[in-house]
Amino acid sequence: MKYYLKIIREGYKDNSVFFGLPNFVMITLAGLFAFMLLVYEPANDWHETSFTLSRFEYRRVRGGAVLDLYTTDNRCYVLNHNDEEIRHKLKEGQQYNAVYSDDFFHDIIKGLTDAECEYLNADEMRKSHTTERFWFRVLLVLCVFLLLIFNSVYAISCIRAEEKKRRKRISKWK
């Protein structure tokens, strides 16, 4: 077994772009999907709250724009769905009910209502978020599976190549 591990280690030291690039891509994608699963809170763990809106700021980000909602009790929530429509309807000093996810970077509004109107449907967001998480899990498992298969095939090919070399050396001695 130690002999085979030594062969595989040598094979990894001498690996080519043919092996290194797909390995790097699969590890990067698996890391990205795992990061996405860890950073965003599952839909079952979302929180409900009510707040009085103190002020809001509309700001541009790389992917579009978001609304930062500041409450009278010094909390801040980020609204990044339908922000263009909703920002014109919000009123400072008004009471709102919200469903939000406590994500790694921000508290993100997933549902927003007041006494008169529903601005963002939490059930639709929950369904969409659950579907996204399902696909992230599937893609993570697929990346890890491909990574294992690809590395197993490479390790077996390294062992077979070394066995061929060893047989040639033995046949030359005879």
Side-chain angles (χ1 to χ4, degrees), residues 101-135:
S101 65
D102 185 14
D103 295 335
F104 189 71
F105 302 110
H106 302 287
D107 292 338
I108 299 177
I109 299 274
K110 301 295 185 178
L112 185 65
T113 59
D114 64 9
E116 303 168 2
C117 182
E118 179 179 59
Y119 302 101
L120 199 57
N121 188 323
D123 293 330
E124 289 176 10
M125 295 295 288
R126 191 172 270 118
K127 184 178 177 184
S128 171
H129 186 75
T130 304
T131 303
E132 286 175 9
R133 286 186 68 83
F134 169 76
W135 285 110

PDB file of all heavy atoms in Angstrom, residues 101-135:
ATOM      1  N   SER A 101     -34.112  36.883   6.562  1.00  0.00           N
ATOM      2  CA  SER A 101     -33.113  35.847   6.816  1.00  0.00           C
ATOM      3  C   SER A 101     -31.883  36.531   7.398  1.00  0.00           C
ATOM      4  O   SER A 101     -31.450  37.575   6.922  1.00  0.00           O
ATOM      5  CB  SER A 101     -32.759  35.090   5.538  1.00  0.00           C
ATOM      6  OG  SER A 101     -32.138  35.939   4.618  1.00  0.00           O
ATOM      7  N   ASP A 102     -31.379  35.948   8.442  1.00  0.00           N
ATOM      8  CA  ASP A 102     -30.202  36.477   9.125  1.00  0.00           C
ATOM      9  C   ASP A 102     -28.972  35.849   8.477  1.00  0.00           C
ATOM     10  O   ASP A 102     -28.399  34.896   8.981  1.00  0.00           O
ATOM     11  CB  ASP A 102     -30.282  36.126  10.609  1.00  0.00           C
ATOM     12  CG  ASP A 102     -29.169  36.740  11.414  1.00  0.00           C
ATOM     13  OD1 ASP A 102     -28.481  37.640  10.909  1.00  0.00           O
ATOM     14  OD2 ASP A 102     -28.972  36.304  12.565  1.00  0.00           O
ATOM     15  N   ASP A 103     -28.585  36.384   7.325  1.00  0.00           N
ATOM     16  CA  ASP A 103     -27.479  35.820   6.568  1.00  0.00           C
ATOM     17  C   ASP A 103     -26.147  36.311   7.113  1.00  0.00           C
ATOM     18  O   ASP A 103     -26.088  37.172   7.991  1.00  0.00           O
ATOM     19  CB  ASP A 103     -27.623  36.170   5.088  1.00  0.00           C
ATOM     20  CG  ASP A 103     -28.863  35.523   4.480  1.00  0.00           C
ATOM     21  OD1 ASP A 103     -29.314  34.497   5.008  1.00  0.00           O
ATOM     22  OD2 ASP A 103     -29.374  36.060   3.488  1.00  0.00           O
ATOM     23  N   PHE A 104     -25.084  35.787   6.570  1.00  0.00           N
ATOM     24  CA  PHE A 104     -23.734  36.079   7.051  1.00  0.00           C
ATOM     25  C   PHE A 104     -23.406  37.566   6.957  1.00  0.00           C
ATOM     26  O   PHE A 104     -22.782  38.124   7.844  1.00  0.00           O
ATOM     27  CB  PHE A 104     -22.734  35.247   6.235  1.00  0.00           C
ATOM     28  CG  PHE A 104     -21.335  35.300   6.764  1.00  0.00           C
ATOM     29  CD1 PHE A 104     -21.007  34.664   7.944  1.00  0.00           C
ATOM     30  CD2 PHE A 104     -20.351  35.984   6.077  1.00  0.00           C
ATOM     31  CE1 PHE A 104     -19.720  34.710   8.429  1.00  0.00           C
ATOM     32  CE2 PHE A 104     -19.061  36.026   6.553  1.00  0.00           C
ATOM     33  CZ  PHE A 104     -18.738  35.385   7.733  1.00  0.00           C
ATOM     34  N   PHE A 105     -23.832  38.228   5.907  1.00  0.00           N
ATOM     35  CA  PHE A 105     -23.452  39.618   5.688  1.00  0.00           C
ATOM     36  C   PHE A 105     -24.524  40.617   6.120  1.00  0.00           C
ATOM     37  O   PHE A 105     -24.211  41.676   6.637  1.00  0.00           O
ATOM     38  CB  PHE A 105     -23.109  39.848   4.212  1.00  0.00           C
ATOM     39  CG  PHE A 105     -22.003  38.974   3.722  1.00  0.00           C
ATOM     40  CD1 PHE A 105     -22.256  37.954   2.824  1.00  0.00           C
ATOM     41  CD2 PHE A 105     -20.709  39.138   4.169  1.00  0.00           C
ATOM     42  CE1 PHE A 105     -21.241  37.135   2.368  1.00  0.00           C
ATOM     43  CE2 PHE A 105     -19.682  38.323   3.729  1.00  0.00           C
ATOM     44  CZ  PHE A 105     -19.950  37.322   2.825  1.00  0.00           C
ATOM     45  N   HIS A 106     -25.805  40.321   5.879  1.00  0.00           N
ATOM     46  CA  HIS A 106     -26.892  41.261   6.153  1.00  0.00           C
ATOM     47  C   HIS A 106     -28.136  40.498   6.595  1.00  0.00           C
ATOM     48  O   HIS A 106     -28.260  39.305   6.382  1.00  0.00           O
ATOM     49  CB  HIS A 106     -27.274  42.044   4.885  1.00  0.00           C
ATOM     50  CG  HIS A 106     -26.162  42.815   4.280  1.00  0.00           C
ATOM     51  ND1 HIS A 106     -25.658  43.959   4.837  1.00  0.00           N
ATOM     52  CD2 HIS A 106     -25.444  42.621   3.145  1.00  0.00           C
ATOM     53  CE1 HIS A 106     -24.678  44.429   4.079  1.00  0.00           C
ATOM     54  NE2 HIS A 106     -24.528  43.628   3.044  1.00  0.00           N
ATOM     55  N   ASP A 107     -29.068  41.260   7.167  1.00  0.00           N
ATOM     56  CA  ASP A 107     -30.412  40.743   7.384  1.00  0.00           C
ATOM     57  C   ASP A 107     -31.214  41.109   6.140  1.00  0.00           C
ATOM     58  O   ASP A 107     -31.463  42.281   5.877  1.00  0.00           O
ATOM     59  CB  ASP A 107     -31.051  41.381   8.624  1.00  0.00           C
ATOM     60  CG  ASP A 107     -30.360  40.941   9.902  1.00  0.00           C
ATOM     61  OD1 ASP A 107     -29.707  39.893   9.895  1.00  0.00           O
ATOM     62  OD2 ASP A 107     -30.495  41.652  10.921  1.00  0.00           O
ATOM     63  N   ILE A 108     -31.599  40.101   5.375  1.00  0.00           N
ATOM     64  CA  ILE A 108     -32.229  40.341   4.082  1.00  0.00           C
ATOM     65  C   ILE A 108     -33.731  40.097   4.190  1.00  0.00           C
ATOM     66  O   ILE A 108     -34.168  39.030   4.633  1.00  0.00           O
ATOM     67  CB  ILE A 108     -31.612  39.445   2.994  1.00  0.00           C
ATOM     68  CG1 ILE A 108     -30.127  39.772   2.858  1.00  0.00           C
ATOM     69  CG2 ILE A 108     -32.342  39.620   1.670  1.00  0.00           C
ATOM     70  CD1 ILE A 108     -29.377  38.932   1.887  1.00  0.00           C
ATOM     71  N   ILE A 109     -34.510  41.088   3.774  1.00  0.00           N
ATOM     72  CA  ILE A 109     -35.967  41.008   3.810  1.00  0.00           C
ATOM     73  C   ILE A 109     -36.435  40.000   2.756  1.00  0.00           C
ATOM     74  O   ILE A 109     -36.088  40.100   1.595  1.00  0.00           O
ATOM     75  CB  ILE A 109     -36.605  42.386   3.520  1.00  0.00           C
ATOM     76  CG1 ILE A 109     -36.184  43.409   4.554  1.00  0.00           C
ATOM     77  CG2 ILE A 109     -38.117  42.258   3.395  1.00  0.00           C
ATOM     78  CD1 ILE A 109     -36.993  43.468   5.792  1.00  0.00           C
ATOM     79  N   LYS A 110     -37.248  39.044   3.203  1.00  0.00           N
ATOM     80  CA  LYS A 110     -37.811  38.039   2.306  1.00  0.00           C
ATOM     81  C   LYS A 110     -39.317  38.189   2.161  1.00  0.00           C
ATOM     82  O   LYS A 110     -39.908  37.612   1.252  1.00  0.00           O
ATOM     83  CB  LYS A 110     -37.486  36.633   2.817  1.00  0.00           C
ATOM     84  CG  LYS A 110     -36.005  36.349   2.932  1.00  0.00           C
ATOM     85  CD  LYS A 110     -35.338  36.356   1.585  1.00  0.00           C
ATOM     86  CE  LYS A 110     -33.880  35.950   1.712  1.00  0.00           C
ATOM     87  NZ  LYS A 110     -33.210  35.899   0.434  1.00  0.00           N
ATOM     88  N   GLY A 111     -39.936  38.925   3.056  1.00  0.00           N
ATOM     89  CA  GLY A 111     -41.361  39.190   2.989  1.00  0.00           C
ATOM     90  C   GLY A 111     -41.637  40.519   3.675  1.00  0.00           C
ATOM     91  O   GLY A 111     -41.081  40.784   4.734  1.00  0.00           O
ATOM     92  N   LEU A 112     -42.466  41.350   3.073  1.00  0.00           N
ATOM     93  CA  LEU A 112     -42.734  42.669   3.640  1.00  0.00           C
ATOM     94  C   LEU A 112     -44.194  43.037   3.424  1.00  0.00           C
ATOM     95  O   LEU A 112     -44.692  42.969   2.296  1.00  0.00           O
ATOM     96  CB  LEU A 112     -41.823  43.723   2.983  1.00  0.00           C
ATOM     97  CG  LEU A 112     -41.882  45.133   3.546  1.00  0.00           C
ATOM     98  CD1 LEU A 112     -41.361  45.157   4.984  1.00  0.00           C
ATOM     99  CD2 LEU A 112     -41.068  46.084   2.682  1.00  0.00           C
ATOM    100  N   THR A 113     -44.871  43.392   4.524  1.00  0.00           N
ATOM    101  CA  THR A 113     -46.269  43.808   4.455  1.00  0.00           C
ATOM    102  C   THR A 113     -46.488  44.966   5.423  1.00  0.00           C
ATOM    103  O   THR A 113     -45.694  45.189   6.343  1.00  0.00           O
ATOM    104  CB  THR A 113     -47.233  42.666   4.854  1.00  0.00           C
ATOM    105  OG1 THR A 113     -46.934  42.258   6.188  1.00  0.00           O
ATOM    106  CG2 THR A 113     -47.125  41.489   3.926  1.00  0.00           C
ATOM    107  N   ASP A 114     -47.559  45.680   5.196  1.00  0.00           N
ATOM    108  CA  ASP A 114     -48.058  46.641   6.173  1.00  0.00           C
ATOM    109  C   ASP A 114     -49.551  46.402   6.319  1.00  0.00           C
ATOM    110  O   ASP A 114     -50.075  45.402   5.827  1.00  0.00           O
ATOM    111  CB  ASP A 114     -47.711  48.085   5.785  1.00  0.00           C
ATOM    112  CG  ASP A 114     -48.370  48.559   4.499  1.00  0.00           C
ATOM    113  OD1 ASP A 114     -49.243  47.850   3.970  1.00  0.00           O
ATOM    114  OD2 ASP A 114     -48.009  49.653   4.018  1.00  0.00           O
ATOM    115  N   ALA A 115     -50.241  47.288   6.964  1.00  0.00           N
ATOM    116  CA  ALA A 115     -51.672  47.082   7.211  1.00  0.00           C
ATOM    117  C   ALA A 115     -52.484  47.081   5.919  1.00  0.00           C
ATOM    118  O   ALA A 115     -53.540  46.456   5.835  1.00  0.00           O
ATOM    119  CB  ALA A 115     -52.196  48.162   8.153  1.00  0.00           C
ATOM    120  N   GLU A 116     -51.988  47.724   4.880  1.00  0.00           N
ATOM    121  CA  GLU A 116     -52.755  47.880   3.643  1.00  0.00           C
ATOM    122  C   GLU A 116     -52.304  46.988   2.488  1.00  0.00           C
ATOM    123  O   GLU A 116     -53.099  46.634   1.637  1.00  0.00           O
ATOM    124  CB  GLU A 116     -52.656  49.345   3.164  1.00  0.00           C
ATOM    125  CG  GLU A 116     -53.132  50.351   4.174  1.00  0.00           C
ATOM    126  CD  GLU A 116     -52.745  51.769   3.803  1.00  0.00           C
ATOM    127  OE1 GLU A 116     -52.135  51.964   2.723  1.00  0.00           O
ATOM    128  OE2 GLU A 116     -53.035  52.666   4.596  1.00  0.00           O
ATOM    129  N   CYS A 117     -51.030  46.657   2.451  1.00  0.00           N
ATOM    130  CA  CYS A 117     -50.482  46.065   1.223  1.00  0.00           C
ATOM    131  C   CYS A 117     -49.414  45.014   1.539  1.00  0.00           C
ATOM    132  O   CYS A 117     -48.725  45.086   2.551  1.00  0.00           O
ATOM    133  CB  CYS A 117     -49.884  47.191   0.378  1.00  0.00           C
ATOM    134  SG  CYS A 117     -49.220  46.677  -1.188  1.00  0.00           S
ATOM    135  N   GLU A 118     -49.304  44.068   0.629  1.00  0.00           N
ATOM    136  CA  GLU A 118     -48.210  43.102   0.686  1.00  0.00           C
ATOM    137  C   GLU A 118     -47.215  43.484  -0.406  1.00  0.00           C
ATOM    138  O   GLU A 118     -47.528  43.452  -1.590  1.00  0.00           O
ATOM    139  CB  GLU A 118     -48.730  41.684   0.462  1.00  0.00           C
ATOM    140  CG  GLU A 118     -47.641  40.647   0.492  1.00  0.00           C
ATOM    141  CD  GLU A 118     -48.157  39.243   0.292  1.00  0.00           C
ATOM    142  OE1 GLU A 118     -48.767  38.993  -0.759  1.00  0.00           O
ATOM    143  OE2 GLU A 118     -47.941  38.412   1.183  1.00  0.00           O
ATOM    144  N   TYR A 119     -46.016  43.847  -0.003  1.00  0.00           N
ATOM    145  CA  TYR A 119     -44.998  44.284  -0.953  1.00  0.00           C
ATOM    146  C   TYR A 119     -44.176  43.121  -1.493  1.00  0.00           C
ATOM    147  O   TYR A 119     -43.779  43.114  -2.648  1.00  0.00           O
ATOM    148  CB  TYR A 119     -44.055  45.291  -0.287  1.00  0.00           C
ATOM    149  CG  TYR A 119     -44.765  46.501   0.244  1.00  0.00           C
ATOM    150  CD1 TYR A 119     -45.054  46.633   1.603  1.00  0.00           C
ATOM    151  CD2 TYR A 119     -45.183  47.513  -0.605  1.00  0.00           C
ATOM    152  CE1 TYR A 119     -45.708  47.743   2.097  1.00  0.00           C
ATOM    153  CE2 TYR A 119     -45.837  48.629  -0.127  1.00  0.00           C
ATOM    154  CZ  TYR A 119     -46.104  48.733   1.225  1.00  0.00           C
ATOM    155  OH  TYR A 119     -46.759  49.829   1.699  1.00  0.00           O
ATOM    156  N   LEU A 120     -43.914  42.171  -0.627  1.00  0.00           N
ATOM    157  CA  LEU A 120     -43.080  41.032  -0.990  1.00  0.00           C
ATOM    158  C   LEU A 120     -43.654  39.794  -0.294  1.00  0.00           C
ATOM    159  O   LEU A 120     -43.774  39.775   0.929  1.00  0.00           O
ATOM    160  CB  LEU A 120     -41.638  41.292  -0.536  1.00  0.00           C
ATOM    161  CG  LEU A 120     -40.514  40.503  -1.137  1.00  0.00           C
ATOM    162  CD1 LEU A 120     -40.489  40.651  -2.646  1.00  0.00           C
ATOM    163  CD2 LEU A 120     -39.184  40.972  -0.585  1.00  0.00           C
ATOM    164  N   ASN A 121     -44.003  38.774  -1.075  1.00  0.00           N
ATOM    165  CA  ASN A 121     -44.631  37.574  -0.540  1.00  0.00           C
ATOM    166  C   ASN A 121     -43.568  36.625  -0.003  1.00  0.00           C
ATOM    167  O   ASN A 121     -42.736  36.108  -0.749  1.00  0.00           O
ATOM    168  CB  ASN A 121     -45.460  36.898  -1.631  1.00  0.00           C
ATOM    169  CG  ASN A 121     -46.290  35.766  -1.101  1.00  0.00           C
ATOM    170  OD1 ASN A 121     -45.877  35.026  -0.221  1.00  0.00           O
ATOM    171  ND2 ASN A 121     -47.487  35.636  -1.655  1.00  0.00           N
ATOM    172  N   ALA A 122     -43.615  36.361   1.296  1.00  0.00           N
ATOM    173  CA  ALA A 122     -42.627  35.501   1.943  1.00  0.00           C
ATOM    174  C   ALA A 122     -42.744  34.051   1.493  1.00  0.00           C
ATOM    175  O   ALA A 122     -41.737  33.354   1.375  1.00  0.00           O
ATOM    176  CB  ALA A 122     -42.771  35.591   3.455  1.00  0.00           C
ATOM    177  N   ASP A 123     -43.954  33.588   1.225  1.00  0.00           N
ATOM    178  CA  ASP A 123     -44.133  32.195   0.800  1.00  0.00           C
ATOM    179  C   ASP A 123     -43.508  31.932  -0.563  1.00  0.00           C
ATOM    180  O   ASP A 123     -42.881  30.898  -0.780  1.00  0.00           O
ATOM    181  CB  ASP A 123     -45.616  31.824   0.781  1.00  0.00           C
ATOM    182  CG  ASP A 123     -46.216  31.798   2.173  1.00  0.00           C
ATOM    183  OD1 ASP A 123     -45.469  31.502   3.131  1.00  0.00           O
ATOM    184  OD2 ASP A 123     -47.421  32.085   2.297  1.00  0.00           O
ATOM    185  N   GLU A 124     -43.666  32.874  -1.482  1.00  0.00           N
ATOM    186  CA  GLU A 124     -43.024  32.732  -2.800  1.00  0.00           C
ATOM    187  C   GLU A 124     -41.508  32.752  -2.668  1.00  0.00           C
ATOM    188  O   GLU A 124     -40.808  31.982  -3.317  1.00  0.00           O
ATOM    189  CB  GLU A 124     -43.475  33.854  -3.733  1.00  0.00           C
ATOM    190  CG  GLU A 124     -44.904  33.758  -4.190  1.00  0.00           C
ATOM    191  CD  GLU A 124     -45.325  34.951  -5.025  1.00  0.00           C
ATOM    192  OE1 GLU A 124     -44.456  35.762  -5.416  1.00  0.00           O
ATOM    193  OE2 GLU A 124     -46.531  35.078  -5.289  1.00  0.00           O
ATOM    194  N   MET A 125     -41.006  33.647  -1.824  1.00  0.00           N
ATOM    195  CA  MET A 125     -39.555  33.732  -1.607  1.00  0.00           C
ATOM    196  C   MET A 125     -39.036  32.453  -0.945  1.00  0.00           C
ATOM    197  O   MET A 125     -37.964  31.972  -1.293  1.00  0.00           O
ATOM    198  CB  MET A 125     -39.224  34.949  -0.750  1.00  0.00           C
ATOM    199  CG  MET A 125     -39.546  36.275  -1.403  1.00  0.00           C
ATOM    200  SD  MET A 125     -38.552  36.577  -2.870  1.00  0.00           S
ATOM    201  CE  MET A 125     -36.987  36.884  -2.130  1.00  0.00           C
ATOM    202  N   ARG A 126     -39.799  31.917  -0.025  1.00  0.00           N
ATOM    203  CA  ARG A 126     -39.407  30.678   0.662  1.00  0.00           C
ATOM    204  C   ARG A 126     -39.317  29.522  -0.338  1.00  0.00           C
ATOM    205  O   ARG A 126     -38.363  28.747  -0.334  1.00  0.00           O
ATOM    206  CB  ARG A 126     -40.416  30.368   1.769  1.00  0.00           C
ATOM    207  CG  ARG A 126     -39.985  29.287   2.701  1.00  0.00           C
ATOM    208  CD  ARG A 126     -40.924  29.162   3.886  1.00  0.00           C
ATOM    209  NE  ARG A 126     -40.459  30.037   4.954  1.00  0.00           N
ATOM    210  CZ  ARG A 126     -41.140  31.060   5.460  1.00  0.00           C
ATOM    211  NH1 ARG A 126     -42.324  31.345   5.017  1.00  0.00           N
ATOM    212  NH2 ARG A 126     -40.622  31.792   6.428  1.00  0.00           N
ATOM    213  N   LYS A 127     -40.298  29.437  -1.225  1.00  0.00           N
ATOM    214  CA  LYS A 127     -40.308  28.378  -2.245  1.00  0.00           C
ATOM    215  C   LYS A 127     -39.113  28.527  -3.192  1.00  0.00           C
ATOM    216  O   LYS A 127     -38.412  27.558  -3.488  1.00  0.00           O
ATOM    217  CB  LYS A 127     -41.617  28.437  -3.026  1.00  0.00           C
ATOM    218  CG  LYS A 127     -41.782  27.349  -4.041  1.00  0.00           C
ATOM    219  CD  LYS A 127     -43.126  27.441  -4.744  1.00  0.00           C
ATOM    220  CE  LYS A 127     -43.237  26.392  -5.816  1.00  0.00           C
ATOM    221  NZ  LYS A 127     -44.481  26.505  -6.567  1.00  0.00           N
ATOM    222  N   SER A 128     -38.869  29.745  -3.641  1.00  0.00           N
ATOM    223  CA  SER A 128     -37.744  30.011  -4.537  1.00  0.00           C
ATOM    224  C   SER A 128     -36.413  29.703  -3.854  1.00  0.00           C
ATOM    225  O   SER A 128     -35.520  29.088  -4.453  1.00  0.00           O
ATOM    226  CB  SER A 128     -37.789  31.473  -4.984  1.00  0.00           C
ATOM    227  OG  SER A 128     -36.634  31.825  -5.660  1.00  0.00           O
ATOM    228  N   HIS A 129     -36.284  30.122  -2.604  1.00  0.00           N
ATOM    229  CA  HIS A 129     -35.045  29.900  -1.863  1.00  0.00           C
ATOM    230  C   HIS A 129     -34.794  28.405  -1.624  1.00  0.00           C
ATOM    231  O   HIS A 129     -33.658  27.937  -1.741  1.00  0.00           O
ATOM    232  CB  HIS A 129     -35.110  30.655  -0.524  1.00  0.00           C
ATOM    233  CG  HIS A 129     -33.853  30.616   0.253  1.00  0.00           C
ATOM    234  ND1 HIS A 129     -32.747  31.363  -0.086  1.00  0.00           N
ATOM    235  CD2 HIS A 129     -33.501  29.902   1.347  1.00  0.00           C
ATOM    236  CE1 HIS A 129     -31.781  31.124   0.774  1.00  0.00           C
ATOM    237  NE2 HIS A 129     -32.215  30.235   1.651  1.00  0.00           N
ATOM    238  N   THR A 130     -35.852  27.668  -1.317  1.00  0.00           N
ATOM    239  CA  THR A 130     -35.729  26.227  -1.102  1.00  0.00           C
ATOM    240  C   THR A 130     -35.283  25.528  -2.386  1.00  0.00           C
ATOM    241  O   THR A 130     -34.432  24.635  -2.347  1.00  0.00           O
ATOM    242  CB  THR A 130     -37.065  25.646  -0.603  1.00  0.00           C
ATOM    243  OG1 THR A 130     -37.453  26.355   0.578  1.00  0.00           O
ATOM    244  CG2 THR A 130     -36.961  24.177  -0.311  1.00  0.00           C
ATOM    245  N   THR A 131     -35.829  25.953  -3.514  1.00  0.00           N
ATOM    246  CA  THR A 131     -35.424  25.377  -4.808  1.00  0.00           C
ATOM    247  C   THR A 131     -33.955  25.676  -5.104  1.00  0.00           C
ATOM    248  O   THR A 131     -33.208  24.793  -5.537  1.00  0.00           O
ATOM    249  CB  THR A 131     -36.317  25.936  -5.937  1.00  0.00           C
ATOM    250  OG1 THR A 131     -37.672  25.654  -5.637  1.00  0.00           O
ATOM    251  CG2 THR A 131     -35.955  25.324  -7.277  1.00  0.00           C
ATOM    252  N   GLU A 132     -33.528  26.907  -4.846  1.00  0.00           N
ATOM    253  CA  GLU A 132     -32.124  27.270  -5.073  1.00  0.00           C
ATOM    254  C   GLU A 132     -31.198  26.429  -4.206  1.00  0.00           C
ATOM    255  O   GLU A 132     -30.168  25.935  -4.682  1.00  0.00           O
ATOM    256  CB  GLU A 132     -31.911  28.751  -4.768  1.00  0.00           C
ATOM    257  CG  GLU A 132     -32.464  29.682  -5.798  1.00  0.00           C
ATOM    258  CD  GLU A 132     -32.321  31.137  -5.387  1.00  0.00           C
ATOM    259  OE1 GLU A 132     -31.633  31.427  -4.375  1.00  0.00           O
ATOM    260  OE2 GLU A 132     -32.901  31.987  -6.073  1.00  0.00           O
ATOM    261  N   ARG A 133     -31.534  26.286  -2.934  1.00  0.00           N
ATOM    262  CA  ARG A 133     -30.699  25.481  -2.027  1.00  0.00           C
ATOM    263  C   ARG A 133     -30.642  24.025  -2.477  1.00  0.00           C
ATOM    264  O   ARG A 133     -29.598  23.385  -2.369  1.00  0.00           O
ATOM    265  CB  ARG A 133     -31.192  25.580  -0.590  1.00  0.00           C
ATOM    266  CG  ARG A 133     -30.863  26.905   0.054  1.00  0.00           C
ATOM    267  CD  ARG A 133     -31.238  26.930   1.502  1.00  0.00           C
ATOM    268  NE  ARG A 133     -30.450  26.051   2.329  1.00  0.00           N
ATOM    269  CZ  ARG A 133     -29.254  26.330   2.829  1.00  0.00           C
ATOM    270  NH1 ARG A 133     -28.691  27.478   2.553  1.00  0.00           N
ATOM    271  NH2 ARG A 133     -28.621  25.473   3.587  1.00  0.00           N
ATOM    272  N   PHE A 134     -31.756  23.501  -2.975  1.00  0.00           N
ATOM    273  CA  PHE A 134     -31.768  22.127  -3.480  1.00  0.00           C
ATOM    274  C   PHE A 134     -30.761  21.987  -4.619  1.00  0.00           C
ATOM    275  O   PHE A 134     -29.968  21.051  -4.632  1.00  0.00           O
ATOM    276  CB  PHE A 134     -33.174  21.741  -3.953  1.00  0.00           C
ATOM    277  CG  PHE A 134     -33.207  20.450  -4.721  1.00  0.00           C
ATOM    278  CD1 PHE A 134     -33.119  19.240  -4.064  1.00  0.00           C
ATOM    279  CD2 PHE A 134     -33.300  20.459  -6.105  1.00  0.00           C
ATOM    280  CE1 PHE A 134     -33.128  18.045  -4.766  1.00  0.00           C
ATOM    281  CE2 PHE A 134     -33.309  19.273  -6.819  1.00  0.00           C
ATOM    282  CZ  PHE A 134     -33.228  18.059  -6.152  1.00  0.00           C
ATOM    283  N   TRP A 135     -30.776  22.919  -5.575  1.00  0.00           N
ATOM    284  CA  TRP A 135     -29.861  22.840  -6.711  1.00  0.00           C
ATOM    285  C   TRP A 135     -28.415  23.056  -6.298  1.00  0.00           C
ATOM    286  O   TRP A 135     -27.502  22.443  -6.859  1.00  0.00           O
ATOM    287  CB  TRP A 135     -30.278  23.791  -7.825  1.00  0.00           C
ATOM    288  CG  TRP A 135     -31.456  23.250  -8.558  1.00  0.00           C
ATOM    289  CD1 TRP A 135     -32.731  23.723  -8.557  1.00  0.00           C
ATOM    290  CD2 TRP A 135     -31.474  22.069  -9.377  1.00  0.00           C
ATOM    291  NE1 TRP A 135     -33.542  22.916  -9.317  1.00  0.00           N
ATOM    292  CE2 TRP A 135     -32.798  21.897  -9.834  1.00  0.00           C
ATOM    293  CE3 TRP A 135     -30.511  21.143  -9.760  1.00  0.00           C
ATOM    294  CZ2 TRP A 135     -33.163  20.839 -10.655  1.00  0.00           C
ATOM    295  CZ3 TRP A 135     -30.883  20.082 -10.582  1.00  0.00           C
ATOM    296  CH2 TRP A 135     -32.188  19.950 -11.016  1.00  0.00           C
TER     297      TRP A 135
END
